[in-house]
Amino acid sequence: MHLLTLFAQALLLGLAIAAPVGPIGLLCIERSVRQGPWVGLATGLGAATADALYATLGALGLSALIQRLTTLALPLAVAGSLLLLWMGLGMLRRHAASEAARAASAHGWCSAWASALLLTLSNPMTILSFLAVFASLSGHAAPGAAEALLMVSGVFAGSALWWCVLAFGAGRLLGRLGEAGRHGIDIVCGVLLLGMGLLLLWRALASLAG
Protein backbone atom coordinates (compact mmCIF):
# COMPACT_ATOMS: atom_id res chain seq x y z
CA MET A 1 0.00 0.00 0.00
CA HIS A 2 2.88 2.36 0.81
CA LEU A 3 4.45 1.83 -2.60
CA LEU A 4 1.13 2.31 -4.38
CA THR A 5 0.55 5.57 -2.51
CA LEU A 6 4.07 6.68 -3.33
CA PHE A 7 3.50 6.01 -7.04
CA ALA A 8 0.21 7.91 -6.97
CA GLN A 9 1.85 10.89 -5.28
CA ALA A 10 4.69 10.89 -7.81
CA LEU A 11 2.17 10.65 -10.68
CA LEU A 12 0.34 13.71 -9.35
CA LEU A 13 3.69 15.49 -9.03
CA GLY A 14 4.54 14.76 -12.67
CA LEU A 15 1.09 15.94 -13.73
CA ALA A 16 1.44 19.15 -11.71
CA ILE A 17 4.87 19.90 -13.19
CA ALA A 18 3.71 19.35 -16.78
CA ALA A 19 0.30 21.03 -16.61
CA PRO A 20 1.21 24.75 -16.34
CA VAL A 21 1.28 26.28 -19.82
CA GLY A 22 4.86 27.13 -20.75
CA PRO A 23 7.19 26.83 -23.74
CA ILE A 24 6.76 23.05 -24.04
CA GLY A 25 2.99 23.37 -23.84
CA LEU A 26 3.01 25.94 -26.64
CA LEU A 27 5.26 23.72 -28.75
CA CYS A 28 3.05 20.71 -28.09
CA ILE A 29 -0.08 22.59 -29.17
CA GLU A 30 1.51 24.17 -32.24
CA ARG A 31 3.05 20.92 -33.45
CA SER A 32 -0.14 18.97 -32.77
CA VAL A 33 -2.04 21.43 -34.95
CA ARG A 34 0.60 21.68 -37.67
CA GLN A 35 2.03 18.16 -37.82
CA GLY A 36 -0.51 16.02 -36.05
CA PRO A 37 -1.09 14.83 -32.47
CA TRP A 38 1.65 12.20 -32.57
CA VAL A 39 4.32 14.84 -33.19
CA GLY A 40 2.78 16.94 -30.43
CA LEU A 41 2.89 13.93 -28.12
CA ALA A 42 6.54 13.30 -29.04
CA THR A 43 7.27 16.88 -27.99
CA GLY A 44 5.61 16.33 -24.64
CA LEU A 45 7.38 13.02 -24.11
CA GLY A 46 10.70 14.80 -24.65
CA ALA A 47 9.84 17.01 -21.68
CA ALA A 48 8.63 13.98 -19.70
CA THR A 49 11.93 12.22 -20.39
CA ALA A 50 13.86 15.21 -19.05
CA ASP A 51 11.63 15.31 -15.98
CA ALA A 52 12.28 11.59 -15.44
CA LEU A 53 16.05 12.11 -15.75
CA TYR A 54 16.01 14.91 -13.22
CA ALA A 55 13.65 12.91 -11.02
CA THR A 56 16.13 10.02 -11.08
CA LEU A 57 18.90 12.29 -9.81
CA GLY A 58 16.61 13.65 -7.13
CA ALA A 59 15.44 10.19 -6.06
CA LEU A 60 18.99 8.89 -5.85
CA GLY A 61 20.09 11.95 -3.91
CA LEU A 62 23.17 12.54 -6.06
CA SER A 63 24.06 15.77 -4.28
CA ALA A 64 27.52 16.19 -5.85
CA LEU A 65 26.17 15.91 -9.39
CA ILE A 66 23.22 18.13 -8.54
CA GLN A 67 25.57 20.79 -7.18
CA ARG A 68 27.63 20.59 -10.37
CA LEU A 69 24.56 21.01 -12.55
CA THR A 70 23.27 23.99 -10.57
CA THR A 71 26.58 25.78 -11.20
CA LEU A 72 25.76 25.47 -14.91
CA ALA A 73 22.36 27.12 -14.43
CA LEU A 74 23.39 30.40 -16.07
CA PRO A 75 24.86 29.03 -19.34
CA LEU A 76 22.02 26.53 -19.59
CA ALA A 77 19.48 29.32 -19.10
CA VAL A 78 21.14 31.35 -21.87
CA ALA A 79 21.16 28.33 -24.17
CA GLY A 80 17.51 27.63 -23.37
CA SER A 81 16.50 31.23 -24.08
CA LEU A 82 18.31 31.21 -27.43
CA LEU A 83 16.56 27.95 -28.33
CA LEU A 84 13.21 29.52 -27.49
CA LEU A 85 14.00 32.58 -29.61
CA TRP A 86 15.00 30.37 -32.54
CA MET A 87 11.81 28.32 -32.28
CA GLY A 88 9.65 31.42 -31.93
CA LEU A 89 11.19 33.05 -35.00
CA GLY A 90 10.73 29.81 -36.91
CA MET A 91 7.02 29.83 -36.17
CA LEU A 92 6.61 33.46 -37.21
CA ARG A 93 8.50 32.90 -40.47
CA ARG A 94 6.70 29.70 -41.36
CA HIS A 95 4.50 29.87 -44.43
CA ALA A 96 1.27 27.93 -44.66
CA ALA A 97 2.29 24.31 -44.95
CA SER A 98 0.67 21.86 -47.33
CA GLU A 99 -0.91 18.68 -46.07
CA ALA A 100 2.02 16.72 -47.46
CA ALA A 101 4.52 18.86 -45.58
CA ARG A 102 2.62 18.32 -42.36
CA ALA A 103 2.67 14.55 -42.65
CA ALA A 104 4.26 13.01 -39.59
CA SER A 105 7.41 10.97 -40.00
CA ALA A 106 9.85 9.18 -37.74
CA HIS A 107 12.31 12.02 -38.32
CA GLY A 108 9.68 14.53 -37.24
CA TRP A 109 8.91 12.60 -34.07
CA CYS A 110 12.59 12.28 -33.14
CA SER A 111 13.27 15.94 -33.83
CA ALA A 112 10.25 17.00 -31.77
CA TRP A 113 11.28 14.74 -28.89
CA ALA A 114 14.92 15.87 -28.92
CA SER A 115 14.15 19.61 -29.07
CA ALA A 116 11.75 19.37 -26.11
CA LEU A 117 14.25 17.24 -24.18
CA LEU A 118 17.03 19.82 -24.64
CA LEU A 119 14.75 22.71 -23.79
CA THR A 120 13.57 21.07 -20.56
CA LEU A 121 17.09 20.02 -19.57
CA SER A 122 18.15 23.68 -19.79
CA ASN A 123 16.46 24.21 -16.41
CA PRO A 124 18.58 22.20 -13.92
CA MET A 125 16.94 23.95 -10.97
CA THR A 126 14.14 21.41 -11.46
CA ILE A 127 16.41 18.85 -9.79
CA LEU A 128 16.32 20.75 -6.52
CA SER A 129 12.54 20.62 -6.54
CA PHE A 130 12.57 16.87 -7.12
CA LEU A 131 15.19 16.41 -4.40
CA ALA A 132 13.09 18.28 -1.83
CA VAL A 133 9.80 16.64 -2.81
CA PHE A 134 11.22 13.12 -2.95
CA ALA A 135 12.83 13.57 0.45
CA SER A 136 9.41 14.50 1.78
CA LEU A 137 7.66 11.59 0.05
CA SER A 138 10.17 9.04 1.34
CA GLY A 139 10.19 10.39 4.89
CA HIS A 140 13.31 12.57 4.55
CA ALA A 141 15.45 9.46 4.04
CA ALA A 142 17.19 8.17 0.95
CA PRO A 143 14.59 6.05 -0.89
CA GLY A 144 15.28 2.41 -1.61
CA ALA A 145 15.61 1.04 -5.12
CA ALA A 146 11.91 0.10 -5.36
CA GLU A 147 10.79 3.48 -4.02
CA ALA A 148 13.11 5.39 -6.37
CA LEU A 149 11.87 3.39 -9.38
CA LEU A 150 8.24 3.99 -8.47
CA MET A 151 8.77 7.71 -7.93
CA VAL A 152 10.56 8.18 -11.24
CA SER A 153 7.98 6.03 -13.05
CA GLY A 154 5.17 7.99 -11.44
CA VAL A 155 6.64 11.34 -12.49
CA PHE A 156 7.03 10.15 -16.08
CA ALA A 157 3.54 8.65 -16.18
CA GLY A 158 1.92 11.80 -14.80
CA SER A 159 3.79 14.03 -17.21
CA ALA A 160 3.04 11.74 -20.18
CA LEU A 161 -0.66 11.66 -19.23
CA TRP A 162 -0.86 15.44 -19.48
CA TRP A 163 0.89 15.53 -22.86
CA CYS A 164 -1.52 12.90 -24.21
CA VAL A 165 -4.47 15.05 -23.17
CA LEU A 166 -2.93 18.20 -24.64
CA ALA A 167 -1.80 16.65 -27.95
CA PHE A 168 -4.94 14.62 -28.70
CA GLY A 169 -7.40 16.98 -27.03
CA ALA A 170 -6.48 20.63 -27.46
CA GLY A 171 -4.33 19.95 -30.51
CA ARG A 172 -7.06 18.06 -32.36
CA LEU A 173 -9.70 20.62 -31.37
CA LEU A 174 -7.65 23.59 -32.56
CA GLY A 175 -6.71 21.67 -35.71
CA ARG A 176 -10.32 22.02 -36.88
CA LEU A 177 -9.90 25.77 -37.28
CA GLY A 178 -8.62 25.41 -40.85
CA GLU A 179 -5.48 26.75 -42.48
CA ALA A 180 -6.13 30.35 -41.46
CA GLY A 181 -6.64 29.25 -37.86
CA ARG A 182 -3.48 27.16 -37.90
CA HIS A 183 -1.51 30.10 -39.25
CA GLY A 184 -2.93 32.26 -36.46
CA ILE A 185 -1.82 29.69 -33.89
CA ASP A 186 1.68 29.82 -35.40
CA ILE A 187 1.76 33.58 -34.87
CA VAL A 188 0.39 33.50 -31.31
CA CYS A 189 2.70 30.67 -30.21
CA GLY A 190 5.67 32.28 -31.97
CA VAL A 191 5.13 35.62 -30.23
CA LEU A 192 4.69 33.95 -26.83
CA LEU A 193 7.84 31.86 -27.30
CA LEU A 194 9.80 34.98 -28.29
CA GLY A 195 8.51 36.75 -25.18
CA MET A 196 9.47 33.83 -22.94
CA GLY A 197 12.89 33.58 -24.55
CA LEU A 198 13.57 37.29 -24.13
CA LEU A 199 12.42 37.20 -20.50
CA LEU A 200 14.61 34.20 -19.74
CA LEU A 201 17.59 35.82 -21.45
CA TRP A 202 17.05 39.09 -19.58
CA ARG A 203 16.91 37.27 -16.24
CA ALA A 204 20.07 35.34 -17.05
CA LEU A 205 21.98 38.47 -18.05
CA ALA A 206 20.64 40.37 -15.03
CA SER A 207 21.91 37.65 -12.69
CA LEU A 208 25.27 37.76 -14.43
CA ALA A 209 25.48 41.54 -14.04
CA GLY A 210 24.46 41.27 -10.39
Side-chain angles (χ1 to χ4, degrees):
M1 182 62 67
H2 166 68
L3 294 180
L4 182 60
T5 301
L6 192 62
F7 177 82
Q9 290 175 322
L11 186 146
L12 291 176
L13 173 62
L15 187 61
I17 290 174
V21 178
I24 303 299
L26 292 174
L27 285 173
C28 180
I29 292 173
E30 195 273 343
R31 288 172 176 174
S32 295
V33 172
R34 271 288 169 192
Q35 299 171 270
W38 288 106
V39 176
L41 178 59
T43 300
L45 291 181
T49 302
D51 287 340
L53 290 174
Y54 277 161
T56 300
L57 296 179
L60 295 178
L62 300 178
S63 57
L65 180 56
I66 290 173
Q67 183 63 35
R68 174 60 179 166
L69 286 173
T70 53
T71 61
L72 298 176
L74 179 58
L76 286 174
V78 172
S81 65
L82 293 177
L83 183 57
L84 280 177
L85 292 173
W86 178 74
M87 290 179 174
L89 286 173
M91 289 183 188
L92 292 179
R93 295 175 59 185
R94 182 179 297 135
H95 295 290
S98 64
E99 291 297 327
R102 288 199 302 270
S105 64
H107 174 72
W109 299 335
C110 292
S111 176
W113 177 85
S115 61
L117 174 68
L118 293 175
L119 187 58
T120 308
L121 287 177
S122 68
N123 183 20
M125 299 304 291
T126 306
I127 308 176
L128 298 180
S129 301
F130 280 123
L131 186 63
V133 173
F134 283 174
S136 176
L137 292 180
S138 58
H140 300 280
E147 292 177 323
L149 178 61
L150 280 176
M151 286 190 288
V152 173
S153 300
V155 166
F156 182 84
S159 183
L161 176 62
W162 169 252
W163 299 121
C164 282
V165 171
L166 195 62
F168 288 92
R172 187 179 294 275
L173 180 63
L174 293 174
R176 297 176 180 176
L177 297 177
E179 190 57 49
R182 286 191 286 266
H183 187 59
I185 291 172
D186 282 342
I187 295 175
V188 171
C189 290
V191 170
L192 289 175
L193 285 180
L194 281 176
M196 291 177 181
L198 289 173
L199 179 60
L200 182 60
L201 183 60
W202 177 79
R203 287 178 176 176
L205 296 178
S207 66
L208 181 61

